[in-house]
Structure formats: structure tokens, C-alpha cells
Amino acid sequence: MDLRQLRYLDAVASARSFTAAALDLHVAQSALSQQVAKLERELGVELLRRTTRRVEVTEAGQVVLERARRAMAEADAIREDLDALRGLVRGSLRIGGVPPVSGLHPAKLIAEFAAQHPGVDLTIREDVAARLIDELGKGRLDLVMALIDPTTLPPTLQGRRLTDEELVLILAPDHPLARRRRIPHAALQGERLVAYGAGSALRAELERLVEQPQVIAEANELGTLQELVALGLGVTLMPSAVVASTPPTTLAVRPLHPRVRVPVSLLWRAHERPTPAAAAFRDHVIQATTIRS
């Protein structure tokens, strides 16, 4: 067996699909399938079970993957340590991100970092906070920016609180609540809600504010949520920076009373030395946030 075969196995197991894994790896699907099959023949076990809809990892596959991921991490660390000795920042960096918030624009920070470190291969994941944090804990992401307080993390993770963001209520301009300058929390009871999917920080905040929330639509795209609200389907919470420039004819944006603020944090795995690329990005974000705050 070789590292390439192990990387192929890991890619298919993570994507649960040969097609998706081949696209991620930029290789032909036939070559990918051949290498995984060769590895299975060499080990004498079935590692992946193919079904009509997806690929499942077998029990033997899980055993192999656990050791394979450690081996791949050590091989990557050798290159990264040597690059660090030469003062270079290379390798891969996998980041889980959040929407823009006041004083912090993740996409801009990532673009600035990429321009400064062209030798780093960047992968960016957008998803609800709970799934990103789970991926971080499993080693599938290096860093995550999330609307979460680092003190609430399990001991395997830690982070830095970068800033706080105010959440505001968005609603259709002709909604009865739009006549108010500020929206008391109690006024949200019984309102129809459009919300992010379960596991998102914004969904959790809605459920904290509203007893027995009546969620009639879910979406994980900011634009989709805003469009549904503008069409009068329901109301929702959103970071103030996201809707700061929204025309009042499209959406009504109202602060809550009392105001609601959530922390914006950069998260990483505890008790683990970051790769040079992850350490450099972490320093870049913290420095940029300090300067802009």
C-alpha cells in the first residue's frame, strides 16, 4: 500500500461517493476506483461497500481509515516542518466559515491570506456551526469561524473570541411588526419563522428567544432566507452586518429589545500543534481583528 491509495480511500469515505471524491482529487474516477480496489486486494478485505445511492465504509474500512489518517497527518507534518525550517508556509488549509459580521469579513481575510501565501492549498467549507465543529473535532477541518462562545466548547477544542455581532429581526416591509422601531422578544411568540437548519447558531438563538417556535421553512443560504422573508413568508434573525445595506423597500430591519449579541470566534483543536499554514492563518485573523477592533 502507499500514501496515494490511503488518500484516495479517505477521500471516497469522506465524500461517500467515488464521483465526488474524483472531482475533489482532480483524478479520473476509473483511476480512483482501481487504486481503491488494488488496496482492498492487497489487504484482503472489503473497505468500502458500494450501494446504488452511496458508498458505505465497512468495519474493516474504519479500522484502516483510523490508522491511515494518522499516517497521512504524519507524512504531511514532515513536509510542513521542513517548510517551517525554511521559513515557508505551504501545505493545505481547510477552513469552515461563517457569513460576514461587523468588523470581520471571513472571505476577505481568506483572500488576503491566499495572496500572501500562494503555496497554501485552501479548502473552504460553509455549513451550520454544529457540523463544522464536528468536522473540526474529527480532524477534517483545521480551523472554524463560528458564532459560538469558546468557553462552551468540549475540552478537545478551544478558540479565540474575535468580536461580537448583533442579531436583528428582518421582516417584510408591510409586516405589522415593521411599524415598531424595536421588537420586544415577547412579540416574536406565535410568529411564523423562516430559519437556518438545525445545528446553526442562528437557529439556536431563535429557539432560545421563542417558545415552541413555528418554523415553516428552513434554508442555509442567506439570500434564500432574505427572499422568503421579503415575500412575507415569515420573519427571522440575521447578523446586522449582513443586512446593513438592504433597501428598506425590500426588507424591514429592526433591532431587538433587549438587544441580542452573539460571539464570533475562531476555533481549533486543543492539545495539538497546528500546521504552519493553520498557525499562520490563525495569526493573520487575530492580528486583523485586533487592528480593526
Side-chain angles (χ1 to χ4, degrees):
M1 78 183 76
D2 58 38
L3 280 174
R4 181 183 59 169
Q5 292 173 330
L6 297 179
R7 292 190 193 280
Y8 284 4
L9 173 66
D10 182 42
V12 177
S14 297
R16 304 288 182 181
S17 162
F18 278 88
T19 302
L23 290 172
D24 289 341
L25 293 167
H26 306 290
V27 299
Q29 184 174 337
S30 57
L32 177 63
S33 299
Q34 289 169 8
Q35 288 300 319
V36 172
K38 182 178 178 182
L39 179 61
E40 289 179 315
R41 288 195 301 272
E42 183 178 343
L43 295 176
V45 293
E46 183 185 37
L47 302 174
L48 301 171
R49 185 171 296 113
R50 292 77 165 168
T51 70
T52 55
R53 290 190 173 184
R54 59 188 300 180
V55 175
E56 300 289 347
V57 181
T58 65
E59 184 177 359
Q62 290 289 1
V63 172
V64 172
L65 276 171
E66 286 180 14
R67 291 190 176 274
R69 285 167 177 160
R70 290 199 292 271
M72 290 185 293
E74 287 299 321
D76 291 341
I78 291 172
R79 297 188 184 93
E80 290 159 355
D81 286 348
L82 292 175
D83 283 342
L85 284 174
R86 294 192 292 265
L88 301 173
V89 177
R90 299 186 185 278
S92 61
L93 180 60
R94 301 158 301 173
I95 304 168
V98 296
V101 291
S102 298
L104 180 68
H105 198 302
K108 184 178 180 182
L109 289 171
I110 292 169
E112 290 171 348
F113 179 82
Q116 294 168 12
H117 303 287
V120 175
D121 182 15
L122 281 166
T123 302
I124 304 165
R125 272 281 311 280
E126 286 190 336
D127 208 329
V128 296
R131 281 199 285 269
L132 291 177
I133 291 170
D134 180 62
E135 297 260 310
L136 177 65
K138 292 177 178 176
R140 296 173 185 166
L141 292 173
D142 300 304
L143 295 161
V144 165
M145 280 187 250
L147 302 175
I148 191 170
D149 185 345
T151 63
T152 65
L153 293 170
T156 54
L157 301 175
Q158 65 186 78
R160 167 84 172 247
R161 188 169 183 154
L162 302 172
T163 186
D164 290 326
E165 171 68 359
E166 182 177 0
L167 299 183
V168 294
L169 189 73
I170 63 170
L171 53 166
D174 59 354
H175 191 287
L177 289 179
R179 302 190 190 102
R180 302 192 184 192
R181 294 181 62 184
R182 296 184 298 174
I183 310 299
H185 297 181
L188 298 179
Q189 304 302 327
E191 284 292 329
R192 296 188 306 169
L193 305 172
V194 295
Y196 285 90
S200 75
L202 293 179
R203 175 66 171 267
E205 201 61 31
L206 263 179
E207 292 176 347
R208 183 184 71 82
L209 292 174
V210 182
E211 294 182 12
Q212 298 180 337
Q214 184 185 354
V215 177
I216 62 171
E218 291 184 356
N220 287 329
E221 295 291 334
L222 289 172
T224 302
L225 286 173
Q226 291 181 48
E227 185 175 4
L228 292 174
V229 170
L231 292 171
L233 192 63
V235 305
T236 197
L237 297 180
M238 200 156 285
S240 61
V242 173
V243 290
S245 59
T246 303
T249 54
T250 304
L251 282 173
V253 180
R254 298 291 182 268
L256 294 166
H257 180 68
R259 291 180 181 270
V260 174
R261 298 184 69 82
V262 293
V264 183
S265 303
L266 183 64
L267 314 176
W268 56 87
R269 284 182 296 282
H271 316 301
E272 181 179 307
R273 187 177 67 172
T275 66
F281 184 77
R282 191 168 73 188
D283 291 344
H284 171 68
V285 172
I286 292 172
Q287 182 180 13
T289 307
T290 302
I291 291 172
R292 294 167 189 174
S293 61

